[in-house]
Every structure is written in C-alpha cells, then in structure tokens.
C-alpha cells in the first residue's frame, strides 16, 4: 500500500471515530442537557479560543516532536477525555470535556495536514494527495453519522460518548507505518503577506462549511422534525458522494486553482436552498449541492495553504491555517445558534445570511488570486 493510501486509511478510521459524535454535540447540549441557545453560542465562542491555543501550540508541537508522535498523542488523549465524559455525564462536565477534546482534535488535524505537505510537492501532487486523503476521511464521515444517529436516537448521547472513546483508537495500529518529519524547534513562523491575506477568505469559507453539524441538525430537527438518524443519513450522503467522486474531482480541478471561487458560489446557493426545504428529498438535493462545493473548495484551500508555507516551519504555519479553519467552523456554529434565537422560523433570513458568506469569500478569493498571478503560475 502506498503512502497516499495509508494516509487516507488513517484519516478514514480517525474520522469514523470522530464523526459518530461531533455532528451531534451542539444539539446534545441543547436538546439532551437542556442548555439554552445563548449558552450554545457562548460554548462555541469558548471553543474558538481553545482552537486558537491548540492550533498555535499544535504547530509548535508538530514541528518539535514530529508529525507521527503528535498524531499518536492526540489520538490516545481524545479517547481518554471522551471516556471521562461518559463516566461522569454531568452537563457542565460534558461541555467542559468536549472543549478539552477540541484541543486534541485540532492537534491531530495540524499534524495530519502537515505530513501531506511534507511528502508531496507541486500543485498537481498536492491536490491529488489532499483529494485522496479526503476520500478516506469522508469514507469514515459517511458511516460515522449514520452510526452516531442510530446510537443517539435509540440509546442516548451518553452511550455515544462511550462508543466514540473506543472507535477513535482505530487508526493507532496504522500510524506506525507513517514517515516522520520534524521542523525547526524555534518559535519562528516565517509568515508571508500572501499567507496572511489568504487566511481572511479562508475563515469565511469554513464559517459556512461549519454548518454541517449543529446548524443543519438543529434546524432540520426543530423546524422540519427530521430525527437525528435522518439527519445522520444526510451527513452520510455527503460522505458517500465524496468517497465516490473526490478522486475524479481532484483530477479535474488540479490545474484550476481559481475554481475555489466557483465552489464558494455553489456553497452559497446550497445553503440558501435550506430555506426552501419542505421535505426529505429536497434536503438530500441540498446536501448534494453543498457536497459538490466541498469537493472543489477543500482540497484547493489545503493546496494553496501548503504551497504558501515554508518547509522548516510548515507545522507552525499549518497550525495557523488549522486555527483559522477551526475558528471558522466554530464561528459558523456560534453564528447560526445566535441567529436561530431570532430567525429559527424565518428561514429565508436565517439561511440568506449564512449563504451570503459564500458570495463574500468567493469575491475575496477571486481578487486574491487575480493579484497573485505569480502564485497561480507557481502552483
């Protein structure tokens, strides 16, 4: 098995263990532990702070300890804190432990993204490698929410915590086959102006991407009365499409970096369609549209970020990239939870605001890439 497939397989096992629980956490705090929406909004803001700390320290740890050791530490630690949440199962303890687990998840994301950038060079190889990694990740994502939705619906969220604590350990036997890289131990980030500018539309991108989770689950459950399992099936559709088509999509887009702008327009359209959903079949169509956007945007975003990073400080720079993407996802959940206080039953306003983020980031990507023509040529 070549390295590209090993990385994809590890990503698949890891995402399976994580995705059985992560789409349901915000909803569980709201529906099971009965926290108000205002608390959910605050929770996600605190999670953003944790993500900042984890991304910066994760980049430093990834460069200092090496990619492989960091992946092992994050995997074992994630399992332990989820088990702790299961054993105690008190509302404030669960919400606090989830924040701790956010730290270790971010640590894993930084190291796994960095190792791909270490191994593969050039636009074509990076797009293909990140596309293949996403095939593995979304194979796990296709199964995870289905299993998680079933356990949540029939056995409750506490059982889901226990299952996640066990399943997150699945990739451990495969990690030993990864090559290891280290960066500089110094606290130098070597940030370029291009890299910093690129992070601005990236934040908006992942704010809209972050709606696959608390935003969609809460809206579909509260307004359209879909069960947790039904929404889990929708998330499974997302994963299955990516497993089937991401490799092909990667080959089609690897010489067309500018398509990231088109992908964000598709995202905007897809999320506005949420306001028009009246039955499960339209919800499936909506999920297909945002999945098409995801298959374009995610590998191109990772490719641009890695191409702008320096080899000796790649871990730290990918830590900053992970910080921005993580903050974007969390901001998306926090934003939609706040908007739902006022517009939960005014879907055109609610999802119109969310979809506008796609248009704004599309415009920003367009002008960034137009200005940086040398960057496009080098990619």
């Amino acid at each position: 098995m070549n390295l590209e497939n090993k990385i994809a397989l590890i990503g698949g096992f890891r995402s399976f263990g994580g995705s059985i629980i992560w789409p349901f956490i915000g909803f569980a705090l709201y529906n099971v532990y009965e926290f108000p929406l205002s608390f959910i909004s605050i929770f996600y803001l605190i999670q953003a702070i944790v993500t900042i700390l984890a991304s910066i320290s994760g980049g430093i740890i990834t460069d200092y300890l090496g990619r492989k050791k960091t992946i092992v530490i994050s995997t074992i630690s994630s399992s332990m804190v989820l088990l702790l949440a299961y054993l105690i199962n008190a509302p404030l303890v669960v919400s606090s432990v989830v924040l701790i687990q956010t730290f270790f998840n971010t640590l894993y994301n930084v190291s796994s993204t960095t190792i791909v950038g270490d191994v593969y060079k050039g636009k074509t190889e990076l797009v293909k490698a990140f596309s293949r990694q996403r095939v593995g990740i979304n194979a796990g994502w296709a199964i995870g929410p289905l299993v998680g939705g079933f356990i949540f619906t029939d056995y409750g969220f506490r059982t889901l915590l226990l299952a996640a604590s066990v399943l997150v350990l699945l990739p451990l036997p495969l990690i030993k086959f990864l090559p290891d890289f280290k960066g500089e131990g110094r606290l130098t980030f070597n940030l370029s102006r291009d890299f910093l500018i690129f992070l601005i539309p990236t934040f908006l991108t992942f704010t809209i991407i972050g709606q696959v989770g608390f935003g969609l689950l809460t809206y579909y459950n509260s307004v359209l009365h879909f069960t947790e399992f039904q929404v889990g099936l929708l998330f499974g559709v997302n994963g299955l499409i990516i497993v089937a088509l991401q490799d092909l999509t990667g080959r089609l887009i690897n010489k067309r970096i500018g398509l990231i702008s088109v992908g964000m327009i598709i995202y905007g359209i897809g999320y506005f369609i949420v306001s028009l959903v009246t039955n499960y079949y339209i919800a499936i169509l909506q999920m297909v549209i945002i999945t098409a956007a995801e298959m374009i945007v995610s590998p191109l975003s990772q490719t641009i970020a890695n191409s702008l990073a320096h080899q000796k400080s790649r871990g730290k720079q990918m830590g900053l990239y992970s910080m921005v993407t993580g903050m974007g996802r969390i901001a998306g959940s926090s934003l939609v939870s706040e908007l739902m206080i006022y517009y939960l039953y005014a879907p055109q306003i609610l999802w119109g605001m969310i979809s506008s983020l796609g248009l704004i980031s599309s415009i920003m990507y367009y002008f960034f890439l137009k200005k940086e023509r040398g960057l496009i040529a080098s990619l």
Side-chain angles (χ1 to χ4, degrees):
M1 184 185 298
N2 63 32
L3 180 60
E4 195 174 275
N5 289 330
K6 289 176 184 174
I7 292 172
L9 192 58
I10 290 169
F13 281 128
R14 172 73 185 205
S15 68
F16 173 61
S19 66
I20 73 165
I21 188 169
W22 275 101
F24 306 102
I25 286 174
F27 180 74
L29 294 177
Y30 171 62
N31 195 48
V32 177
Y33 298 104
E34 299 182 345
F35 287 112
L37 283 170
S38 57
F39 175 88
I40 306 301
S41 180
I42 294 170
F43 168 82
Y44 281 119
L45 289 175
I46 297 172
Q47 196 175 44
I49 296 172
V50 173
T51 299
I52 293 171
L53 297 175
S55 298
I56 295 173
S57 59
I60 295 169
I61 292 168
T62 296
D63 277 342
Y64 182 74
L65 293 181
R67 305 358 174 182
K68 188 190 296 188
K69 288 181 181 178
T70 305
I71 291 174
V72 171
I73 291 170
S74 66
T75 299
I76 295 174
S77 300
S78 291
S79 176
M80 291 174 62
V81 295
L82 286 169
L83 180 61
L84 180 65
Y86 165 76
L87 293 173
I88 299 177
N89 196 41
L92 285 176
V93 172
V94 170
S95 58
S96 298
V97 166
V98 167
L99 293 173
I100 296 171
Q101 214 248 348
T102 297
F103 180 92
F104 296 116
N105 269 351
T106 304
L107 205 62
Y108 172 82
N109 291 335
V110 171
S111 52
S112 63
T113 301
T114 302
I115 201 169
V116 175
D118 288 326
V119 175
Y120 299 97
K121 310 297 179 185
K123 178 191 69 175
T124 300
E125 285 191 352
L126 278 171
V127 172
K128 288 173 63 179
F130 280 120
S131 293
R132 179 61 56 83
Q133 185 185 42
R134 288 187 55 72
V135 170
I137 290 171
N138 282 277
W141 181 258
I143 302 170
L146 297 179
V147 176
F150 171 74
I151 294 173
F152 194 161
T153 301
D154 288 7
Y155 299 99
F157 186 73
R158 187 184 184 192
T159 303
L160 196 56
L161 288 168
L162 177 62
S165 73
V166 175
L167 293 174
V168 78
L169 295 173
L170 286 175
L172 274 179
L174 294 169
I175 293 172
K176 67 179 181 180
F177 296 109
L178 292 177
D180 204 7
F181 299 89
K182 288 186 178 182
E184 290 181 332
R186 296 181 300 166
L187 297 178
T188 54
F189 285 79
N190 295 320
L191 298 175
S192 67
R193 179 174 173 273
D194 290 336
F195 188 85
L196 292 172
I197 293 174
F198 171 70
L199 293 179
I200 299 172
T202 297
F203 175 80
L204 295 178
T205 294
F206 283 84
T207 299
I208 196 170
I209 287 176
Q211 300 309 314
V212 177
F214 176 77
L216 287 180
L217 175 57
T218 303
Y219 177 77
Y220 281 148
N221 181 269
S222 300
V223 178
L224 298 179
H225 307 296
F226 296 167
T227 67
E228 294 88 352
F229 179 67
Q230 285 179 307
V231 181
L233 282 173
L234 289 176
F235 296 157
V237 168
N238 170 268
L240 287 172
I241 292 173
I242 291 175
V243 170
L245 298 176
Q246 182 67 78
D247 266 348
L248 173 61
T249 304
R251 289 194 293 271
L252 293 174
I253 66 175
N254 64 19
K255 295 182 179 180
R256 300 174 177 87
I257 295 295
L259 285 177
I260 194 170
S261 293
V262 177
M264 291 314 303
I265 292 174
I266 297 172
Y267 255 129
I269 294 170
Y271 274 103
F272 186 75
I273 289 175
V274 177
S275 68
L276 307 177
V277 171
T278 55
N279 59 61
Y280 198 68
Y281 298 105
I282 301 176
I284 293 173
L285 173 63
Q286 183 271 336
M287 185 59 71
V288 170
I289 292 172
I290 65 171
T291 301
E294 182 181 347
M295 289 192 294
I296 296 170
V297 171
S298 290
L300 291 180
S301 176
Q302 290 174 306
T303 296
I304 295 171
N306 268 278
S307 297
L308 291 171
H310 298 280
Q311 174 68 38
K312 291 184 179 181
S313 57
R314 188 184 303 277
K316 301 182 191 71
Q317 290 182 292
M318 288 304 98
L320 288 176
Y321 174 76
S322 179
M323 178 190 75
V324 171
T325 61
M327 286 177 60
R329 290 179 187 274
I330 294 165
S333 296
S334 180
L335 173 64
V336 78
S337 66
E338 189 69 23
L339 291 174
M340 281 178 175
I341 296 173
Y342 307 101
Y343 303 116
L344 181 59
Y345 297 98
Q348 279 76 30
I349 297 176
L350 174 64
W351 295 106
M353 290 182 178
I354 296 297
S355 67
S356 67
L357 299 174
L359 177 62
I360 295 169
S361 57
S362 173
I363 293 171
M364 294 178 75
Y365 281 131
Y366 174 79
F367 284 107
F368 171 74
L369 293 174
K370 184 178 181 181
K371 182 178 180 182
E372 302 297 333
R373 290 175 179 172
L375 169 65
I376 300 174
S378 67
L379 292 175

